[in-house]
Amino acid sequence: MRRFNAVRAAVLTAVTVTLSATLAATPAQARPAPRPLGLENCTDTGCHFDVPPGTYDVTVRLGGTAASSTAITGETRRSLLPETAVPAGEQVTRGFTVNVRTPEGEPTGPDGTPGLDLTLGGSAPALAGIRVTPAHRARQIILIGDSTACDQPAAPYSGWGQQLPQYLRKGLSVANYADSGESTVTYLANPLLWDTVHPLIRPGDLVLVQLAHNDKTTDEATYRANLEALVAGIRDRGGEPVLVTPIVRRWFNADGTLNNTTALLVNGLGVDLPGVIRSVAAAEDVPLIDLTAKTKALVESLGPEGSKAIYLYNEKRDNTHTSVHGATVYAGLVRDALVDQHLVPEGLVRVG
């Protein structure tokens, strides 16, 4: 019995050595890369891609035998590609990077539909091809804000953060964690908000913070401390904070200006919220997008009548929240500020 075991052990050892040598001499066979998702996932009106949460590069080929004009939205009404006209018989290629998450819209809202959903729009949409692949090197812009910036779930409302992606090219995505009704106090306190966003911040990410509209009873010391806490938390993760003053309310004086506390976000305690944001940005050496000043100048230039289309005055008698048109215009102001301050490369931005 001992002799048999000894013989068997010797044989097994020889086989193992031979097999190991053979495996070492044989090149490893690479698994084939997964095939990019494409046009087979689309209908005449949109596409659905069964992908997990993450960031994805999308390349589309637009055009057909007839003249066409195609726009693409995705997930919760995000504008991802502006309307693009293509002459008859021609095709053009465009690309964008999209953030897929759960919940797909506001962080405290419903989960939405799993995967990536794209909707074809425009006056004459024509999708000739599409390719969806994981975006391994994309930079992201994370938004922290309120209802004026969030991915609004239903028309006619739209936040400027919902319209910002259409101004960005492939390689830069928007992860919009703005949420309706939030102040600096509630955003920091809600586990679905700051506690969720903070660990998602990666080194090099831009994090835009616009919280003021709902800090109606926040005293100055608390408001300042909350902004400082957000800045410190973003930097702790290696992100780059950018403070954004709030969009103005459409509330005119008799002389056609917006120089009043309601329009310029001075709260019920007399705290000049945009002024505090400017002060914190200067003290903490943080880039500032003065959206209050930019939107004030625009609204005043349009006047009481022309500015109605920016907001939802005609639809809802709402002088705070923006229409799709208004949100698109305001997103363009943010785009311009990001480029002007060299916060994003010009090559990753669409102009016009």
Side-chain angles (χ1 to χ4, degrees):
M1 190 62 127
R2 289 180 181 174
R3 174 170 162 56
F4 175 78
N5 286 341
V7 172
R8 183 175 63 175
V11 172
L12 288 175
T13 300
V15 170
T16 301
V17 170
T18 302
L19 181 59
S20 298
T22 302
L23 290 174
T26 303
Q29 297 298 314
R31 293 183 178 180
R35 183 182 178 184
L37 299 171
L39 207 56
E40 67 276 8
N41 296 278
C42 301
T43 66
D44 290 341
T45 58
C47 308
H48 172 77
F49 302 95
D50 187 16
V51 296
T55 306
Y56 295 88
D57 286 333
V58 180
T59 302
V60 295
R61 196 168 69 255
L62 306 176
T65 55
S68 63
S69 188
T70 309
I72 298 178
T73 58
E75 300 295 88
T76 302
R77 302 176 62 239
R78 296 181 225 159
S79 293
L80 299 172
L81 188 71
E83 187 156 358
T84 303
V86 183
E90 297 184 18
Q91 293 185 353
V92 300
T93 300
R94 296 289 185 269
F96 54 87
T97 300
V98 60
N99 171 259
V100 176
R101 60 182 183 271
T102 303
E104 69 178 30
E106 294 180 89
T108 61
D111 284 353
T113 305
L116 170 60
D117 288 286
L118 303 177
T119 300
L120 303 179
S123 58
L127 180 65
I130 188 168
R131 185 175 187 265
V132 176
T133 57
H136 298 298
R137 298 179 180 85
R139 190 182 183 193
Q140 65 181 352
I141 297 175
I142 296 175
L143 300 188
I144 291 173
D146 54 36
S147 59
T148 63
C150 76
D151 287 350
Q152 288 281 359
Y157 294 90
S158 181
W160 61 258
Q162 199 165 18
Q163 301 301 324
L164 185 59
Q166 67 183 297
Y167 290 118
L168 307 178
R169 298 183 186 276
K170 188 163 63 175
L172 184 60
S173 69
V174 174
N176 191 351
Y177 285 87
D179 195 70
S180 294
E182 306 301 340
S183 66
T184 58
V185 176
T186 60
Y187 204 97
L188 285 165
N190 191 334
L192 295 176
L193 299 173
W194 178 240
D195 287 350
T196 297
V197 175
H198 184 246
L200 300 177
I201 300 171
R202 305 172 308 193
D205 286 342
L206 283 180
V207 186
L208 276 55
V209 180
Q210 184 215 259
L211 287 168
H213 277 274
N214 300 299
D215 280 280
K216 299 173 183 177
T217 59
T218 308
D219 63 82
E220 182 171 345
T222 301
Y223 188 64
R224 181 181 296 272
N226 289 343
L227 292 174
E228 291 170 345
L230 288 165
V231 167
I234 293 165
R235 284 175 167 166
D236 285 346
R237 295 287 302 172
E240 183 175 356
V242 179
L243 292 180
V244 183
T245 59
I247 67 171
V248 295
R249 294 190 177 101
R250 184 189 164 277
W251 202 274
F252 285 91
N253 293 323
D255 64 359
T257 67
L258 297 180
N259 293 316
N260 57 71
T261 58
T262 300
L264 300 184
L265 284 297
V266 177
N267 76 6
L269 300 180
V271 180
D272 179 357
L273 299 172
V276 176
I277 297 172
R278 297 181 188 113
S279 174
V280 171
E284 298 292 327
D285 194 23
V286 173
L288 173 74
I289 297 178
D290 198 340
L291 205 51
T292 304
K294 293 177 182 295
T295 55
K296 177 179 184 293
L298 176 62
V299 170
E300 286 181 345
S301 72
L302 293 172
E305 189 62 33
S307 61
K308 288 178 179 178
I310 296 288
Y311 292 85
L312 292 172
Y313 179 84
N314 293 324
E315 298 87 349
K316 301 285 185 179
R317 295 297 187 267
D318 187 332
N319 293 308
T320 298
H321 297 96
T322 49
S323 63
V324 170
H325 165 67
T328 302
V329 172
Y330 284 178
L333 297 178
V334 174
R335 180 269 319 269
D336 293 345
L338 292 172
V339 173
D340 292 344
Q341 298 188 47
H342 306 290
L343 295 170
V344 298
E346 288 189 36
L348 292 179
V349 174
R350 300 183 200 278
V351 178

